[in-house]
């Protein structure tokens, strides 16, 4: 089965902020108007001026960078699509924050027992078969929820139907190997304050290409080192032996 | 040739250096008090209270200096032990113990710094039970842990020897040392290079002059270069502090080897930039380009050329000065990867807070303090100044014989 995904249509968003409020109450956060993503704000509707808005949230990547870099597997890709964080495992190394190509995970900098905070695609709702809080509340249909397959199909349908409205690409179809949040943009990613330099392939293979070579390199390198040790050792032993023999012969001559 | 002479040697040294020690010890005490206050703040109010790290700059001075530079500086441990025990260049044996001790304390300080930098340090052992083999950090964690254990075991004979457990020392040297040294080299190969691999996953966030898919190779080769250079610097420092150093001809050979390694490193580094078409950024003469040129020219090409000159290698002071330049150049590279390149690539804004420096300086100070304690009470250096030691009469033999 395809994972679930969100489809955000920039042309329909009126910047009402209902999704922000729904997200905050869903995650027991104090109600506030965010001005960026932070430990307290999992989604942010950014006013781009001229009645244009951008939504920011975890992209729920298909093959998430954050999941691959976490040393203890605290971040996990749920089979339904959400990417979740486990408080019981996290060591607070912040490699997920470093590595995420969308700069999504945020940190509780002023807590003695800090958490990694980010949108979890309302995993508690999605596992119960409900759409995310933001998609349920959106009054205009700017944020939609469904299987990734269906969302992608719908995105391309709209692209075809109103080619003049959008930039021509579905943001998130190929970014970082494909994400669980798809965006139909009326402004370019950089104008929408979204990263526009995200590689069009998944990221985890970059480091895996290196790591997977270790099982080949290390035994060879180890055998070489062991061999060098043995060679030198043997040379020393032979030398010691010869010295002994010489000495013995010396005694015999006496 | 037993512990007694050591203590005598130690006392003489202390008396001679008393006024200097006075200055350093008051500085040390002051630093430790400040560190304690800073750490109290850290563990009660969070990392944000003592640093300028933020959501757009999750790693800063501590990862750049304490982790990347700290581990690279510890490379002397595996370089020297490999030279002595695997390649059997026994002339360098007198440097093996100080190098192992430096590396051991260095790694302990790296772990101590991690206990400050990690958000949930009480979970530091989690990689033992929660595995993610796809994570470079997972591999680094395991290697650092295992290698610190190896260094501890390599350090143990010093303690045993001091306590007079000669049988155990003999046993360890005969049966454990070769295995430990090989394990140490393998583990070092893995994590020295993996510290570079950490950044392979952020191609879009690291400024092109420092990003490369072969960062692991660059980090490994430069770590060996640094390890060689550090052997000279350590020898020089221990001469200043304890009156013991390697013979000049040995230092000259290390100088030549450093020159060759540095050349190999620089060729890979520049060729890699050429292949990726990134060298053009070096001549834009903006901030990034100046940082890069300083790193490569002043911290790389200049010392390499100097080390190739016989005249420099023959003058111990010039030689050591050049080797210090090599060390600084490679440390500058690590800082550039961790801070400069990430900042330029993401446009994040970060200047380390003074309290971050207190943590880093505190770790160095504790390391130096522990080293001087060990040097005073344990047989770290052979009897008498190393300069007088016969190359064929290495002190490590002591442990084997008695
Ligand atoms: S956007 Fe970032 S945090 Fe979200 S799943 Fe992708 S890599 Fe992870
Ligand atoms: S900060 Fe926590 S969740 Fe993020 S990579 Fe480190 S251990 Fe994993
Ligand atoms: S609820 Fe819908 S229309 Fe309102 S800000 Fe969010 S996405 Fe835009």
């Amino acid at each position: 089965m395809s994972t679930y995904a969100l489809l955000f249509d920039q042309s329909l968003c009126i910047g009402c902020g209902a999704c922000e409020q729904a997200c905050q109450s869903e995650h027991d956060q104090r109600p506030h108007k965010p001005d960026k993503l932070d430990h307290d704000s999992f989604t942010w509707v950014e006013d781009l001026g001229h009645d244009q808005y951008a939504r920011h949230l975890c992209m729920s990547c298909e093959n998430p960078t954050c999941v691959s870099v976490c040393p203890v597997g605290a971040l996990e890709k749920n089979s339904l699509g959400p990417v979740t964080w486990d408080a019981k495992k996290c060591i607070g190394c912040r490699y997920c924050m470093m590595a995420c190509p969308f700069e999504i995970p945020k940190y509780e900098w002023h807590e003695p027992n800090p958490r990694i905070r980010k949108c979890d695609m309302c995993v508690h709702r999605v596992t119960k078969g409900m759409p995310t809080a933001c998609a349920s509340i959106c009054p205009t249909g700017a944020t939609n929820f469904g299987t990734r397959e269906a969302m992608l199909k719908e995105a391309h349908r709209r692209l075809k139907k109103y080619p003049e409205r959008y930039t021509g690409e579905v943001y998130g179809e190929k970014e970082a190997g494909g994400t669980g949040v798809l965006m139909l943009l009326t402004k370019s990613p950089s104008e929408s304050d979204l990263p526009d330099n995200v590689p069009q392939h998944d990221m985890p293979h970059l480091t895996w290409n290196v790591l997977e070579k270790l099982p080949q390199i290390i035994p060879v390198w180890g055998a070489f080192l062991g061999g060098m040790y043995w060679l030198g050792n043997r040379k020393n032993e032979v030398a010691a032996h010869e010295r002994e023999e010489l000495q013995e012969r010396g005694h015999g001559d006496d | 040739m037993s512990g007694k002479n050591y203590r005598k040697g130690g006392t003489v040294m202390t008396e001679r250096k008393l006024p200097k020690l006075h200055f350093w010890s008051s500085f040390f005490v002051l630093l430790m008090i400040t560190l304690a206050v800073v750490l109290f703040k850290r563990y009660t109010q969070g990392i944000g209270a003592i640093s300028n790290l933020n959501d757009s700059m999750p790693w800063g001075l501590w990862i750049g200096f304490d982790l990347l530079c700290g581990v690279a500086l510890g490379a002397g441990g595996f370089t020297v032990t490999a030279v002595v025990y695997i390649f059997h260049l026994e002339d360098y044996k007198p440097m093996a113990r100080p190098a192992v001790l430096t590396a051991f304390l260095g790694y302990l300080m790296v772990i101590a710094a991690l206990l400050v930098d990690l958000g949930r340090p009480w979970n530091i052992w989690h990689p033992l039970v929660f595995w993610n083999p796809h994570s470079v950090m997972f591999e680094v964690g395991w290697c650092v842990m295992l290698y610190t254990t190896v260094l501890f075991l390599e350090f143990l004979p010093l303690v045993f020897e001091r306590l007079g457990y000669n049988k155990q020392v003999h046993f360890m040297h005969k049966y454990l040392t070769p295995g430990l040294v090989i394990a140490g080299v393998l583990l070092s190969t893995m994590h020295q290079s993996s510290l570079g691999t950490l950044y392979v996953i952020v191609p879009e966030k690291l400024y092109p002059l420092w990003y490369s898919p072969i960062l692991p190779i660059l980090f490994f080769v430069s770590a060996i270069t640094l390890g060689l250079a550090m052997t000279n610097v350590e020898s020089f420092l221990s001469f200043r502090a304890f009156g013991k150093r390697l013979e000049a001809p040995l230092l000259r050979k290390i100088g030549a080897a450093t020159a060759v390694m540095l050349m190999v490193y620089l060729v890979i580094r520049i060729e890699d930039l050429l292949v990726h078409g990134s060298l053009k950024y070096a001549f834009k003469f903006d901030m990034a380009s100046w940082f890069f040129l300083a790193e490569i020219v002043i911290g790389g090409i200049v010392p390499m050329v100097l080390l190739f000159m016989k005249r420099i290698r023959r003058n111990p002071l010039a030689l050591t000065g050049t080797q210090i330049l090599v060390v600084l150049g490679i440390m500058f590279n690590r800082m550039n990867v961790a801070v400069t390149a990430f900042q330029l690539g993401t446009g994040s804004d970060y200047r380390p807070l003074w309290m971050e420096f207190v943590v880093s300086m505190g770790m160095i100070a504790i390391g130096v303090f522990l080293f001087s304690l060990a040097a005073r009470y344990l047989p770290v250096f052979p009897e008498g100044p190393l300069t007088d030691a016969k190359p064929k009469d290495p002190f490590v033999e002591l442990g084997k014989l008695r």
Side-chain angles (χ1 to χ4, degrees), chain A residues 82-93:
Chain A
V83 175
T84 59
W85 174 82
D86 185 347
K88 287 199 291 297
K89 289 184 178 170
C90 176
I91 62 174
C93 68

Side-chain angles (χ1 to χ4, degrees), chain A residues 69-70 95 98 100 109 114 221, chain B residues 48 120 126 132 135 189 198 205:
Chain A
V69 300
C70 177
Y95 194 16
M98 283 292 294
C100 168
W109 291 101
W221 187 212
Chain B
R120 303 163 156 243
H126 273 187
N132 180 11
S135 165
T189 309
L198 281 178
K205 289 189 185 178

Side-chain angles (χ1 to χ4, degrees), chain A residues 11-173:
Chain A
S11 71
L12 297 179
C13 178
I14 53 168
C16 67
C19 50
E20 291 170 340
Q21 286 169 23
C23 177
Q24 288 158 14
S25 80
E26 196 63 40
H27 293 93
D28 298 321
Q29 290 163 334
R30 81 195 150 87
H32 65 287
K33 170 67 198 152
D35 57 1
K36 58 175 186 298
L37 289 186
D38 58 26
H39 65 96
D40 229 8
S41 323
F42 295 170
T43 187
W44 166 39
V45 178
E46 182 180 7
D47 190 344
L48 303 171
H50 307 291
D51 224 7
Q52 304 268 346
Y53 305 90
R55 250 201 92 181
H56 301 279
L57 71 167
C58 170
M59 301 293 285
S60 298
C61 305
E62 288 287 282
N63 187 359
T65 319
C66 59
V67 170
S68 107
V69 300
C70 177
V72 291
L75 290 155
E76 265 175 329
K77 175 86 177 165
N78 186 296
S79 60
L80 296 174
V83 175
T84 59
W85 174 82
D86 185 347
K88 287 199 291 297
K89 289 184 178 170
C90 176
I91 62 174
C93 68
R94 306 189 291 282
Y95 194 16
C96 49
M97 306 174 65
M98 283 292 294
C100 168
F102 301 97
E103 297 185 34
I104 294 300
K106 304 296 177 200
Y107 190 69
E108 294 180 319
W109 291 101
H110 291 276
E111 290 294 330
N113 186 11
R115 292 174 294 178
I116 292 292
R117 306 298 275 152
K118 69 169 199 67
C119 153
D120 57 1
M121 209 196 227
C122 289
V123 63
H124 49 289
R125 293 170 59 99
V126 171
T127 42
K128 276 188 225 138
M130 290 190 285
T132 63
C134 57
S136 320
I137 204 146
C138 180
T140 65
T143 298
N144 309 272
F145 180 83
T147 64
R148 187 165 190 270
E149 231 167 79
M151 292 295 106
L152 205 53
K153 220 163 145 194
E154 172 64 14
H156 279 286
R157 192 187 66 79
R158 291 189 197 181
L159 260 188
K160 239 203 196 124
K161 197 158 172 207
Y162 313 103
E164 70 297 340
R165 211 184 263 175
Y166 305 110
T167 55
E169 316 263 351
V170 181
Y171 187 83
E173 182 173 4

Side-chain angles (χ1 to χ4, degrees), chain B residues 79-94 96:
Chain B
T79 318
V80 174
T81 50
V83 163
V84 172
Y85 294 102
I86 300 180
F87 298 103
H88 298 278
L89 299 174
E90 323 243 326
D91 291 355
Y92 295 93
K93 235 175 188 173

